[in-house]
Amino acid sequence: MAKYKIEFFNDHGVDGTYAVFTSPPTVGDGSTVYTNSWMSFPTPPGGDFKITVTSNFDAWVGTSPSFPAPGVVVETGQTAAVKIGTTVIPMVVKDGRPSFNLKGITANAKAGSFGIVTGMDFTMPNSRYMIGLAQLDSNGNPAPTASILANNNAATYITPVVRFFIGEFKYIPGTVVNFAEASAISAKIDFSSSEAGGMTTAIVKHLSTGAFQVKYVA
């Protein structure tokens, strides 16, 4: 398991609330992937926060109160630890609530991914039941980072991307984010980049100019 640290400093000169989110995973069936705000940190001028992130992932299943769009907050039903390249886990819907059938887990996922399979216990079109990806937040609780409207009687293979963003947004965790717009004005932390050079700690600063500065250290 890879482990990384991100240390963030608010040198902007004013109070800021910072949302942490990730690059959307790749999905084998071409489904639309919705990015969710992962963590939120209100930070005074001169303040800081630290987070530890890993390459461990959870499968996630939940619901959306309306058709997913920027600003909608998804609701978690259940998470389950997965092994990338191995785990395929069934989702079931009972009494309008989605969950995982942990006894039905198999070990035939595609390389670099995990799978979620659905049955015929909900109907299409579906704008409520969601599947996706979760990671541990700063309190050690799994929180959704990407969500997908589930298709019934289908297998969806999800390939995580280990890339992080921090931006000045007042998103509560679980909020659907317009990834293209938000990522363009946020700090990008990519430990697999040539700039990182194999280092595992990123120092991120929100400068007085409004720009974000990212430096990698051993």
Side-chain angles (χ1 to χ4, degrees):
M1 175 189 70
K3 182 180 288 188
Y4 309 102
K5 293 181 180 179
I6 300 173
E7 300 180 11
F8 183 93
F9 298 88
N10 179 7
D11 292 344
H12 193 210
V14 295
D15 288 334
T17 298
Y18 298 94
V20 184
F21 55 102
T22 69
S23 281
T26 339
V27 179
D29 62 3
S31 297
T32 298
V33 179
Y34 301 94
T35 296
N36 302 99
S37 176
W38 180 22
M39 293 180 271
S40 178
F41 295 94
T43 310
D48 64 89
F49 60 85
K50 299 177 182 179
I51 57 178
T52 299
V53 295
T54 72
S55 55
N56 283 356
F57 301 94
D58 284 1
W60 175 89
V61 65
T63 57
S64 181
S66 59
F67 193 90
V72 172
V73 182
V74 301
E75 301 168 355
T76 294
Q78 188 180 4
T79 59
V82 294
K83 185 175 180 182
I84 300 301
T86 301
T87 304
V88 176
I89 185 169
M91 164 191 157
V92 295
V93 176
K94 185 176 181 180
D95 299 326
R97 296 183 179 183
S99 62
F100 288 123
N101 174 11
L102 300 180
K103 294 182 179 179
I105 292 175
T106 58
N108 57 341
K110 297 179 180 179
S113 71
F114 67 92
I116 299 176
V117 294
T118 57
M120 293 182 285
D121 43 12
F122 63 97
T123 58
M124 301 297 290
N126 166 45
S127 61
R128 172 172 170 77
Y129 303 116
M130 305 198 77
I131 58 176
L133 178 68
Q135 289 182 264
L136 297 182
D137 63 17
S138 57
N139 296 314
N141 300 313
T145 58
S147 49
I148 304 156
L149 283 172
N151 189 12
N152 62 0
N153 198 29
T156 301
Y157 292 93
I158 299 170
T159 304
V161 176
V162 186
R163 189 180 300 120
F164 309 94
F165 295 84
I166 302 176
E168 191 177 8
F169 305 105
K170 294 181 179 179
Y171 299 137
I172 65 172
T175 303
V176 175
V177 174
N178 184 319
F179 177 77
E181 291 183 3
S183 61
I185 54 174
S186 298
K188 181 174 77 171
I189 302 102
D190 185 353
F191 290 103
S192 66
S193 66
S194 57
E195 183 183 0
M199 291 180 280
T200 56
T201 298
I203 308 296
V204 183
K205 295 182 179 181
H206 191 193
L207 305 177
S208 60
T209 60
F212 289 96
Q213 178 189 82
V214 179
K215 292 185 177 181
Y216 297 94
V217 297

